[in-house]
Amino acid sequence: MRFGRVSKAVGAAAVTMLVLSGCTAAPGPVTTSASTSGAVSGGTAVVAETNAFNSFNPNTGTGSADINSKIAYATHTGFNYIDDKLNIVKNEKFGKYEKISDNPLTIRYTINDGVKWSDGAPVDANDLMLAWAAQSGYYNDATMDKEGNVLAGNHYFEFGGDTAGLAMTELPEIGDNGRSLTLKYTKPFADWEVVFGSPVDVPAHAVAQKAGLKDAAALSSLLKTVPKGNPDEPVTPNADLRKVAEYWNTGFDTKTMPTDTSVFLSNGPYIVTGIVPDQSLTLSRNTDYKWGPAASLDSIMVRFIADASAQVAALKNQEADIIAPQPAADSAVQLKAMAGQGVSFNQFDQLSYDHLDLNFTGVFADQNVREAFLKTVPRQDLVNKIIQKLDAGAKPLESQVFLPAQPKYADSIKNNGSAAFVDVDIEGAKRLLNGATPTVRIMYSKANSNRADAFTLIKDSAAKAGFNVVDGGLGADWNTHLGDGSYDAAIFGWNSPGVGVSQIPQLFRSGSVSNYNKFSNADADKLMDQLIVTDDMGKQADLLIQLDKIIWSSDYGLPLFQPPGVVAYSSAVTGIKPMAGQTGVWWNYWQWARK
């Protein structure tokens, strides 16, 4: 149920929001039927994940890793979710949302009676109010420098997604005895249905108590009294709101099992009952849960295995039941050989891609140096040696905002500027450097063999033009360093939920928490402002084509390739269905069952 945010990288952290949704169907009712033939209720399944868990709040810039989002998805619920066909599916057992008006756009969210947190506290409008405060940026009025440092004003919540959509809402109204929240927009908003579909990952009553407030109602009262931020005349800082935001930002970050139960409260089918740091996490059934799809398994063990080959070995040795790694050629061959021998194997097109991003600070603050470096990147060689062994028809990705399956991809790449980087141009790079020999540190996950291979190919080619490329490969926590200034370029991936357009400003808008390389362009910002208030897909595509050209002309970085998705699972489990979007194989975890 992760919609309005980026989570860092496929096989590294979940993220991208690059795809216009051309296949979202009308919402349908939630279904709770689970299993496939031969399955029984109960038991445990083991699923392998690439990255290690580190936060119970997946909404922050540091917490928005794919694994954190998946654990939140299994331990929380909301008004809707996205299925494997990229349909928006309503969960009316949790509550309902109604469009009250088109002009102005007004939406009322109502949570059903009986929905509660695992400590017995009700899930109510106070939780929605806190989610709105964090995701709207309503109280923020800070002016920042290019590095994201606050120069003046207030910056409270470190929301990892784009705040522009909910920023167009007025102060919400709480009603229905504290069960409903009404949002009134000052402008149309294309993604209103998904951006606030599953907002209650963080319990307001726990945050209130940690901030020294009496209860969740007191927190809502505080949010009603603090003035809206004003960058032209910053509002006087509010100490209580600062405490609330600081706990929301960091209070849920942990790699160990907390002794404080309020840190890991659940309102979903499962609750976290154990963590072995960097090794595993255990989910156990929330026996009180009855406001959404009923889970079949008693528990799910998540093992953190970064290496794709090690995941394959775990499946083969019956140490894992389900794996969905970013495959290298050798691991894909092994999985195909195992297919039919107690293992099911699926390879499919997923909504993700690997890319190289250059920081707009340090050595790459000079656009000539950025352009020179990009001219050395052997994109075709990367595809030939890394991806074509998995997908013979794979080609270098030529767009920053479209994937090849999207109708406007071909139109955009005709004139977006990608043609300038089709071939390696060492001599052109040397002319731009004019004798300089810049040092460039590239960060990537060492456990991801595809990205390790990409680093080596890029390093060897760049050296021919005079670049001194330093190996900045890191271990399991590499994604926590995104945006911290410790590197000059990064190789990682974005993964899309498959619906909406709000993800685009999450990546490219000036000042966005998830804009890790500090790209900033006024014309691009204006296009993104138009994008989020445009619900016509044809017009959205036109705006994205213009944006694509601006990003390429800025020497932002390079999209590299779209790796295939892979899911493999033991015949001992049923209900596993691949999904191309961000939630991946987890999208229907409640249907997982053991024979």
Side-chain angles (χ1 to χ4, degrees):
M1 302 174 189
R2 308 272 70 78
F3 303 123
R5 76 170 81 60
V6 289
S7 351
K8 305 160 199 154
V10 131
V15 229
T16 26
M17 332 268 100
L18 283 190
V19 185
L20 289 173
S21 175
C23 46
T24 300
V30 69
T31 58
T32 58
S33 62
S35 339
T36 333
S37 175
V40 295
S41 181
T44 298
V46 180
V47 57
E49 284 290 333
T50 301
N51 301 291
F53 177 85
N54 62 14
S55 182
F56 284 97
N57 186 356
N59 300 288
T60 67
T62 56
S64 63
D66 61 348
I67 183 59
N68 300 334
S69 295
K70 290 169 181 175
I71 299 305
Y73 183 61
T75 56
H76 298 79
T77 192
F79 296 101
N80 59 35
Y81 66 90
I82 305 300
D83 71 8
D84 58 332
K85 300 297 188 294
L86 303 183
N87 298 318
I88 300 172
V89 182
K90 290 184 176 180
N91 178 11
E92 294 187 349
K93 289 189 173 185
F94 175 84
K96 63 180 180 179
Y97 53 94
E98 310 164 271
K99 182 187 285 188
I100 305 302
S101 169
D102 281 305
N103 188 19
L105 176 63
T106 306
I107 314 298
R108 179 183 297 134
Y109 299 86
T110 305
I111 299 175
N112 295 337
D113 287 327
V115 179
K116 58 185 179 180
W117 293 98
S118 50
D119 64 352
V123 178
D124 58 22
N126 296 311
D127 297 298
L128 299 181
M129 189 74 172
L130 174 59
W132 168 83
Q135 296 177 31
S136 67
Y138 184 87
Y139 305 99
N140 292 342
D141 54 15
T143 301
M144 300 184 180
D145 62 20
K146 291 182 178 180
E147 284 71 41
N149 301 309
V150 175
L151 299 177
N154 307 289
H155 188 77
Y156 292 102
F157 296 97
E158 293 288 343
F159 177 53
D162 183 60
T163 61
L166 288 176
M168 298 186 293
T169 57
E170 300 174 356
L171 187 71
E173 296 179 7
I174 293 178
D176 298 304
N177 294 318
R179 304 221 63 81
S180 74
L181 188 84
T182 300
L183 296 181
K184 183 181 292 185
Y185 290 82
T186 58
K187 295 180 182 179
F189 179 41
D191 290 351
W192 69 266
E193 188 169 11
V194 293
V195 79
F196 210 58
S198 180
V200 281
D201 292 331
V202 175
H205 67 288
V207 173
Q209 292 166 8
K210 296 298 183 182
L213 301 175
K214 179 181 178 181
D215 52 24
L219 174 52
S220 289
S221 295
L222 170 66
L223 295 174
K224 291 176 183 178
T225 58
V226 177
K228 181 177 183 179
N230 181 357
D232 295 328
E233 296 182 21
V235 174
T236 301
N238 184 285
D240 289 332
L241 182 57
R242 178 72 63 196
K243 291 178 183 177
V244 168
E246 286 177 352
Y247 190 78
W248 189 92
N249 293 339
T250 63
F252 297 91
D253 295 345
T254 180
K255 299 185 78 171
T256 61
M257 190 67 194
T259 56
D260 182 352
T261 58
S262 69
V263 176
F264 58 96
L265 293 178
S266 165
N267 61 33
Y270 290 98
I271 185 169
V272 175
T273 54
I275 302 175
V276 179
D278 296 323
Q279 294 185 43
S280 66
L281 178 148
T282 301
L283 295 164
S284 300
R285 189 196 299 275
N286 180 358
T287 55
D288 291 331
Y289 177 78
K290 54 188 176 183
W291 41 88
S296 177
L297 293 168
D298 287 334
S299 62
I300 300 172
M301 173 174 279
V302 187
R303 293 188 60 201
F304 310 134
I305 305 175
D307 182 72
S309 295
Q311 286 197 23
V312 174
L315 180 63
K316 183 176 182 179
N317 297 332
Q318 300 181 5
E319 296 168 352
D321 298 302
I322 308 164
I323 66 172
Q326 186 190 63
D330 56 347
S331 58
V333 169
Q334 293 175 55
L335 286 172
K336 290 176 182 177
M338 292 164 60
Q341 301 177 20
V343 170
S344 294
F345 170 74
N346 300 93
Q347 182 169 315
F348 54 95
D349 292 332
Q350 61 179 346
L351 301 179
S352 67
Y353 73 100
D354 275 29
H355 55 102
L356 170 72
D357 289 359
L358 309 185
N359 289 351
F360 280 65
T361 56
V363 65
F364 285 135
D366 184 337
Q367 184 168 0
N368 283 340
V369 180
R370 293 201 303 274
E371 182 182 357
F373 191 76
L374 298 183
K375 282 180 176 292
T376 71
V377 177
R379 287 197 298 152
Q380 185 62 59
D381 205 25
L382 292 174
V383 170
N384 293 346
K385 294 181 178 179
I386 298 174
I387 297 300
Q388 283 190 350
K389 294 178 182 179
L390 301 167
D391 178 4
K395 298 179 180 178
L397 187 60
E398 304 290 352
S399 173
Q400 304 277 6
V401 298
F402 292 105
L403 290 177
Q406 297 301 308
K408 292 296 182 178
Y409 175 81
D411 291 341
S412 189
I413 68 175
K414 289 177 183 176
N415 194 37
N416 64 359
S418 60
F421 303 99
V422 169
D423 299 315
V424 172
D425 182 5
I426 300 299
E427 293 307 313
K430 287 180 177 179
R431 287 193 293 272
L432 286 165
L433 291 178
N434 194 28
T437 56
T439 295
V440 174
R441 183 181 182 86
I442 301 181
M443 185 182 73
Y444 63 95
S445 169
K446 282 193 170 183
N448 186 308
S449 60
N450 288 349
R451 292 174 191 152
D453 290 345
F455 166 77
T456 299
L457 291 169
I458 291 170
K459 175 185 177 181
D460 291 347
S461 183
K464 297 174 183 177
F467 284 99
N468 175 33
V469 178
V470 176
D471 189 340
L474 297 173
D477 66 344
W478 73 269
N479 57 297
T480 63
H481 293 276
L482 284 168
D484 71 359
S486 63
Y487 60 90
D488 303 300
I491 304 169
F492 61 112
W494 294 126
N495 184 36
S496 172
V499 296
V501 294
S502 295
Q503 310 91 336
I504 297 298
Q506 289 170 355
L507 304 184
F508 301 113
R509 187 190 297 280
S510 299
S512 169
V513 172
S514 298
N515 181 349
Y516 300 116
N517 60 346
K518 307 299 188 290
F519 167 73
S520 180
N521 183 286
D523 291 334
D525 289 342
K526 290 177 182 177
L527 288 172
M528 288 182 279
D529 287 343
Q530 296 176 56
L531 180 68
I532 64 169
V533 300
T534 301
D535 57 10
D536 180 283
M537 288 189 174
K539 293 180 180 178
Q540 287 179 350
D542 290 340
L543 292 167
L544 286 169
I545 288 172
Q546 296 177 59
L547 180 62
D548 202 11
K549 189 172 183 178
I550 289 174
I551 297 170
W552 277 99
S553 68
S554 301
D555 297 304
Y556 172 94
L558 293 174
L560 300 176
F561 47 74
Q562 183 182 8
V566 165
V567 170
Y569 55 95
S570 165
S571 59
V573 293
T574 65
I576 314 303
K577 297 181 181 179
M579 193 260 209
Q582 182 180 339
T583 315
V585 72
W586 283 83
W587 79 268
N588 70 330
Y589 63 85
W590 55 87
Q591 292 183 323
W592 296 356
R594 193 151 205 104
K595 288 186 177 179

